[in-house]
Amino acid sequence: MSDKLFSEIEKGADLKHADTVDKSAPKIEEGVEIKKVDRQGFLNEVKKGADLKEAETVDKSAPVIEEGTKIEESKRPQLLEEIKKAAN
């Protein structure tokens, strides 16, 4: 860069005043109170564990295959052989 450009940068510039309205703060509704969290008490409670009740579930995730459906042997190996023969 040229010396002229550096000297202009070093001089700086006169800036106009700009008014800003900061709206980034969280909006907390009136009457809302924020309590301090007892982290150690919470962690101790979690470490202590809980007695869980047994739950019965009905697993319906298995696929439904209609009666009489048959699975044939894959024809892919024969197809690959035909492709190999045709390529030679």
Side-chain angles (χ1 to χ4, degrees):
M1 289 191 192
S2 68
D3 292 331
K4 183 179 175 186
L5 179 60
F6 277 125
S7 64
E8 286 183 33
I9 293 172
E10 287 177 347
K11 283 184 199 173
D14 293 329
L15 300 176
K16 297 178 185 177
H17 177 74
D19 290 324
T20 59
V21 179
D22 185 5
K23 296 181 181 179
S24 63
K27 184 177 180 179
I28 300 174
E29 296 172 4
E30 195 174 317
V32 173
E33 294 181 17
I34 300 173
K35 296 186 245 176
K36 185 173 180 171
V37 176
D38 177 17
R39 289 182 182 224
Q40 193 58 47
F42 175 72
L43 289 173
N44 289 338
E45 191 176 328
V46 170
K47 286 178 185 176
K48 186 170 55 172
D51 293 330
L52 301 176
K53 298 177 186 175
E54 187 162 333
E56 289 187 31
T57 60
V58 179
D59 186 4
K60 297 181 181 178
S61 63
V64 177
I65 301 173
E66 295 178 16
E67 195 173 322
T69 301
K70 295 181 182 178
I71 299 174
E72 295 179 0
E73 191 174 321
S74 174
K75 295 178 183 176
R76 189 168 188 266
Q78 292 92 357
L79 176 64
L80 291 175
E81 272 306 312
E82 286 180 36
I83 293 171
K84 282 182 186 177
K85 287 179 184 176
N88 291 331

